[in-house]
Amino acid sequence: MTHQFTTLSAAQKKELHETALRIVCPGKGILAADESVGLMAKRLAQVGVENTEENRRQYRQILFSADDRINGCIGGVIFFHETLYQHSDSGVPFVKMIKDRGILVGVKVDKGVVPLAGTCGETTTQGLDGLSDRCAQYKKDGAVFAKWRCVLKMSDSSNPSKLAITENANVLARYSSICQQHGIVPVIEPEILPDGDHDLRRCQYVTEKVLAAVYKAMSDHHVFLEGTLLKPNMVTPGHSCSTKYSAEEVAMATVTALRRTVPPAVTGVAFLSGGQSEEEASVHLNAINNCPLIKPWVLTFSYGRALQASALRTWRGHKENQKAATEQFIKRAEVNGLACQGKYTGGENRTDNGEHVYGSTHAY
Ligand code: 13P
């Protein structure tokens, strides 16, 4: 029988739990602004902007210069390494801009997905080497939470394979354990991609299997669950599924899958948007919070595309559009601040045609 040696002191556990609570306190969620340089190339190309360090800085400045209206709806911002050390036009470090308004700073610490040989196109995520030292440095530089993304693919019968589920669960647990040793709250992201024609039931089934494996691995690695956040996909039909489901059906399938697999000790669940349109991601989050099942965790957002799509489209690299782009971001942050409390009534904030944003097979 494994014996759990004491690895975290009571003070360390308290710090981790309090940090996790602050990120997802009522009405707040996370802005995922941690797109890697490679992914930014794709994002910027969509609006005809060259992928230079300066353009990436200017784009991030649009998000980070939002006024106090975001203080009540954004609890944390996930940075990419490069962004963590960038400054505003007037020379203020981005990290300071975010911290000064009481928002917590997080950083993506994984190094991207790599193929799992012998599988049908499946992957694991690399970045454990040197992670302990990087966490120590990031903590000094102002980060109090981290993100690591694993990707699972769904196909008719073979994917995700047992190997992919086990390997990705294990690497997420190992990452979580290392982060916690440094007082950094791990955001645990086992994303099941929405590509394919699978229906809602199959997505629910696979989500349950993946999350069950994740929490078994967390237990094996002695991860302190109260000092973690989960960043899962919502349970949705595949993008090419011909059956349409209501937001209430998506919510019921999502909450059911979580209730079957995620321990109540987990402090919060912050969903990724996974290529849903901005409006769809808000409506689904709202329905999830209104789902008539007992929900022992905070259920909120950790959106990338669903907070940024309109802002990016409005900006298009032009200085004169900066203010309007920031307004678009604030609008989405406010809508999701309502949705994570089940108070979004929809309609007047509609900024898209319900189209999926940017496709879905992406790498952060
Ligand atoms: P999306 O909300 O765009 O899916 O991205 C969130 C994220 O951080 C994925 O790693």
Side-chain angles (χ1 to χ4, degrees), residues 22 52 74 80 94 100-101 103 210 215 247 250 255 275 312 356:
R22 274 185 67 194
T52 61
I74 300 290
F80 183 64
F94 283 157
D100 280 357
R101 52 189 32 190
I103 299 174
V210 167
Y215 285 103
V250 165
V255 177
L312 183 63
H356 292 147

Side-chain angles (χ1 to χ4, degrees), residues 317-332:
H318 300 300
K319 226 179 173 51
E320 64 274 20
N321 296 340
Q322 279 178 4
K323 268 211 161 69
T326 303
E327 283 302 315
Q328 292 294 336
F329 163 58
I330 294 171
K331 189 190 277 185
R332 287 328 303 179

Side-chain angles (χ1 to χ4, degrees), residues 275-278 280 313 350 352-358:
Q276 296 179 47
S277 73
E278 291 176 319
E280 203 175 20
R313 271 197 302 262
R350 205 172 172 91
D352 61 57
N353 304 317
E355 285 163 15
H356 292 147
V357 282
Y358 308 134

